[in-house]
Amino acid sequence: GTVQSFPRFTLARGELTTPLPLSAPRLELTGSSLRFESVSSVVLSLDLAVTNPGIIGYRVSAPEVVLGVAGAPAGSAGLSPLDVPALGTANTSLTFRFDPLTLGPALAAQVQAASAGAGGLSVGLTGGWTLEAPGLANLAFEPSTLLQASLK
């Protein structure tokens, strides 16, 4: 029960003269699930690996990620904030619900065939990343293509 006190001192002091570079993450599809809930409702779940190629860890988010099916906008979801370590990878998933009938008869048939395992489905994700390295830097990227993949 003895109270100890330690002197206060500064271990290091300084400032950065050049901004720290934050690198845009890379997105990789690691798994997927496509199922019909009803004639007018499909659920597509995508398992994703988010890789930080940079030397600074950050929290990444994408408030609006738009799903494209064979180039046609089908639905949107948001990527919640996810901590990604420097030179590391974090896993997450996104779930989209959409009406395949709004894509037109040809694409609706393609979605139905893919859900039955009878064909592939071309999907793309677009959106803008927001990166936050608390106390160091924040960076927002304009919306762009985040992923192009073929579901089999």
Side-chain angles (χ1 to χ4, degrees), residues 1 3 13 15 19-20 25 41 44 48 57 65 72 82 85 93-94 97 102 104 110 122 129 131 133 139 142:
V3 176
R13 181 177 300 196
E15 65 182 57
L20 292 172
S41 180
L44 174 61
L48 304 165
V65 178
L82 177 69
S93 63
L94 287 176
R97 275 189 173 73
T102 63
Q110 190 178 358
S122 173
W129 295 117
L131 309 181
L139 184 60
E142 291 294 320

Side-chain angles (χ1 to χ4, degrees), residues 6-141:
F6 297 96
R8 292 178 181 246
F9 63 94
T10 300
L11 182 61
R13 181 177 300 196
E15 65 182 57
L16 297 173
T17 56
T18 58
L20 292 172
L22 294 181
S23 302
R26 294 188 199 116
L27 205 55
E28 180 185 351
L29 181 67
T30 58
S32 65
S33 165
L34 178 67
R35 65 182 169 83
F36 271 82
E37 290 184 319
S38 69
V39 172
S40 61
S41 180
V42 173
V43 176
L44 174 61
S45 295
L46 301 176
D47 297 324
L48 304 165
V50 182
T51 300
N52 176 357
I55 59 170
I56 298 169
Y58 48 64
R59 176 170 287 154
V60 62
S61 63
E64 183 178 26
V65 178
V66 177
L67 169 70
V69 175
S76 64
L79 177 67
S80 299
L82 177 69
D83 292 327
V84 186
L87 302 172
T89 299
N91 296 311
T92 189
S93 63
L94 287 176
T95 300
F96 298 91
R97 275 189 173 73
F98 62 95
D99 180 352
L101 301 175
T102 63
L103 301 174
L107 283 181
Q110 190 178 358
V111 170
Q112 185 176 12
S115 72
L121 186 65
S122 173
V123 298
L125 300 179
T126 57
W129 295 117
T130 300
L131 309 181
E132 178 186 353
L136 298 176
N138 292 325
L139 184 60
F141 289 88

